[in-house]
């Protein structure tokens, strides 16, 4: 395997095992509006281009996957007063990349051919509260009857395309700013966006749920809930068919034929969960800090994490290989041939390991 850290950090990662070599991809962000940027989503289009998201400021970096050179940086056009927080990238197969804008209550649609950006609001309609869009975002509301203002926070992380819809894992927290104990509403579930008419449907998974990772497995969409659960969600009926409980900080998720592999956000471990009955064992990665996202690649479970770590667990031998990076947090990943590309947190360069 060849590991590629598509990060905005300058420093070369130092592998704890010397089997890998390293190279750099330069990403010049000197003119980017958010100098303290970190990069998030990774999408391999399979046709020679890897797209990477610029989280702060909501942009896209286009990288030639063969030459490993940056060709273009695309800007959504939002101003510096509305930095956005764009995470995962989802292709709809129709020439568009959809990008959830975390904490702004919206999703962006980038049309590749036309180089155009369109945003759609995910914020719910709440009786007695009117939308007060701020800086082109959808994150704030105001009560009609008075001058009191409701503060609105929305989290949107991963997404996946299912037929003509894109499902986004998300949650929101609405509270009265003058007294957080009053009128507090918590919700977690899925935002379902129809890519034909751009309509948005919210599907609740219950109060105080915190959906994060998604993995499509046939017609079942597996969903991690940071509050300690994994759901099996039937995409034909839009309802939960299976719930596994008593998990610690479940976050990223992938699967093979029989098992789910689920990271622990605050621990360097990965759950291996039998799909048929939810029984689980724990894979110790040998890393430190939490683990974010995970990919199954042949006999290997590949993970990204905090505390300057990425790594591989070999399921045949049970051995772990941990690589130290200088990107403090390593996020999403995608497979490009026999390479694994990671996004990370930094300031102006892409790193290949």
């Amino acid at each position: 395997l060849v590991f590629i850290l598509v990060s905005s950090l300058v420093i070369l990662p130092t592998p704890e095992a010397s089997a890998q070599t390293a190279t750099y991809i330069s990403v010049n962000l000197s003119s980017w509006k958010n100098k303290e940027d970190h990069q998030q989503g990774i999408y391999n289009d399979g046709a020679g281009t890897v797209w990477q998201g610029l989280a702060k400021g909501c942009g896209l970096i286009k990288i030639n996957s063969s030459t490993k050179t940056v060709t273009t940086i695309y800007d959504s056009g939002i101003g510096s007063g509305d930095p956005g927080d764009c995470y995962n990238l989802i292709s709809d197969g129709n020439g568009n990349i959809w990008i959830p804008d975390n904490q702004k209550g919206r999703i962006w649609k980038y049309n590749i051919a036309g180089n155009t950006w369109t945003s759609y609001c995910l914020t719910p309609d709440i009786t007695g509260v009117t939308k007060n869009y701020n800086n082109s975002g959808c994150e704030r509301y105001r009560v009609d009857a008075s001058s009191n203002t409701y503060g609105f926070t929305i989290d949107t992380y991963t997404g996946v395309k299912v037929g003509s819809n894109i499902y986004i894992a998300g949650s929101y927290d609405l509270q009265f700013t003058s007294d957080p104990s009053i009128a507090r509403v918590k919700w977690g579930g899925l935002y379902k966006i129809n890519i034909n008419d751009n309509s948005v449907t919210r599907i609740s998974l219950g109060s105080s749920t915190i959906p994060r990772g998604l993995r499509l497995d046939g017609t079942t969409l597996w969903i991690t809930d940071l509050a300690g659960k994994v759901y099996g969600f039937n995409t034909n009926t839009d309802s939960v068919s299976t719930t596994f409980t008593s998990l610690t900080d479940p976050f990223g998720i992938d699967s093979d034929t029989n098992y789910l592999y689920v990271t622990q956000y605050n621990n360097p471990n990965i759950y291996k969960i039998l799909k048929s009955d939810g029984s689980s064992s724990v894979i110790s990665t040998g890393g430190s800090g939490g683990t974010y996202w995970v990919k199954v690649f042949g006999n290997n479970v590949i993970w990204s994490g905090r505390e300057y770590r990425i790594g591989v667990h070999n399921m045949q031998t049970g051995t772990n290989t941990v690589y130290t990076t200088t990107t403090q947090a390593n996020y999403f990943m995608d497979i490009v041939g026999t390479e694994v590309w990671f996004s990370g947190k930094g300031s102006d360069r892409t790193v290949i390991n």
Side-chain angles (χ1 to χ4, degrees):
L1 296 177
V2 177
F3 295 93
I4 296 186
L5 258 79
V6 182
S7 163
S8 42
L9 201 65
V10 174
I11 310 297
L12 178 72
T14 303
E16 291 179 6
S18 59
Q20 306 294 328
T21 57
T23 286
Y24 289 97
I25 299 175
S26 178
V27 182
N28 186 355
L29 296 177
S30 60
S31 60
W32 187 248
K33 57 199 168 203
N34 294 88
K35 298 301 187 291
E36 296 297 324
D37 211 326
H38 60 280
Q39 301 172 20
Q40 283 278 6
I42 291 279
Y43 160 56
N44 171 30
D45 70 1
T49 296
V50 173
W51 295 87
Q52 183 185 20
L54 280 166
K56 302 295 183 182
C58 289
L60 285 169
I61 300 171
K62 185 178 181 181
I63 303 172
N64 184 303
S65 61
S66 178
T67 63
K68 298 178 175 59
T69 54
V70 174
T71 58
T72 315
I73 297 177
Y74 297 96
D75 188 350
S76 64
I78 60 176
S80 58
D82 177 28
D85 204 2
C86 292
Y87 283 179
N88 193 214
L89 309 182
I90 309 106
S91 169
D92 64 8
N94 295 328
N96 303 300
I97 299 174
W98 294 77
I99 313 167
D101 191 347
N102 191 38
Q103 299 188 5
K104 286 293 181 180
R106 64 189 168 200
I107 187 169
W108 290 93
K109 180 172 74 172
Y110 174 70
N111 180 269
I112 297 172
N115 187 24
T116 56
W117 296 77
T118 309
S119 66
Y120 303 95
C121 287
L122 302 177
T123 44
D125 296 318
I126 297 175
T127 302
V129 182
T130 57
K131 294 175 182 175
N132 177 28
Y133 298 148
N134 200 27
N135 291 321
S136 302
C138 312
E139 78 280 16
R140 294 186 181 180
Y141 285 72
R142 179 166 295 153
V143 177
D144 289 333
S146 70
S147 60
N148 292 324
T149 300
Y150 278 88
F152 186 90
T153 301
I154 187 168
D155 290 328
T156 50
Y157 278 79
T158 51
V160 64
K161 180 177 179 288
V162 183
S164 59
N165 299 292
I166 289 176
Y167 290 83
I168 304 292
S171 59
Y172 69 72
D173 188 346
L174 178 67
Q175 68 180 29
F176 205 29
T177 56
S178 62
D179 185 348
S181 66
I182 300 175
R184 190 176 182 91
V185 178
K186 287 188 175 182
W187 177 92
L190 297 170
Y191 297 93
K192 181 181 178 181
I193 300 98
N194 185 297
I195 62 176
N196 295 320
D197 62 15
N198 306 313
S199 60
V200 178
T201 304
R202 283 169 295 278
I203 303 168
S204 178
L205 293 175
S207 62
S208 300
T209 56
I210 312 171
R212 285 296 181 261
L214 300 178
R215 167 64 175 172
L216 184 62
D217 192 358
T219 59
T220 299
L221 183 60
W222 295 100
I223 308 165
T224 61
D225 176 359
L226 200 57
K229 299 176 182 179
V230 171
Y231 305 102
F233 180 85
N234 187 315
T235 56
N236 288 330
T237 61
D238 279 348
S239 61
V240 173
S241 56
T242 304
T243 304
F244 301 143
T245 61
S246 303
L247 303 172
T248 301
D249 301 328
F251 195 73
I253 186 169
D254 201 8
S255 65
D256 59 19
T257 303
N258 297 313
Y259 291 93
L260 302 174
Y261 299 86
V262 177
T263 64
Q264 295 184 24
Y265 184 73
N266 288 308
N267 294 285
N269 300 318
I270 296 172
Y271 285 112
K272 183 178 180 180
I273 303 171
L274 189 61
K275 295 178 189 177
S276 61
D277 63 10
S279 59
S280 65
S281 58
V282 174
I283 297 171
S284 177
T285 66
S288 59
T291 48
Y292 283 150
W293 305 108
V294 62
K295 285 276 189 185
V296 178
F297 188 77
N299 292 315
N300 298 303
V301 178
I302 305 164
W303 55 271
S304 63
R306 292 149 62 183
E307 303 302 330
Y308 308 90
R309 298 290 190 270
I310 59 176
V312 180
H313 173 81
N314 186 290
M315 290 185 283
Q316 279 190 326
T317 64
T319 57
N320 290 307
T321 306
V322 180
Y323 302 91
T324 301
T325 74
T326 49
T327 43
Q328 181 178 5
N330 302 295
Y331 299 112
F332 293 98
M333 65 181 95
D334 204 351
I335 306 294
V336 184
T338 58
E339 298 173 338
V340 187
W341 292 54
F342 296 82
S343 65
K345 183 177 182 179
S347 57
D348 81 346
R349 202 174 270 196
T350 294
V351 180
I352 303 177
N353 180 22

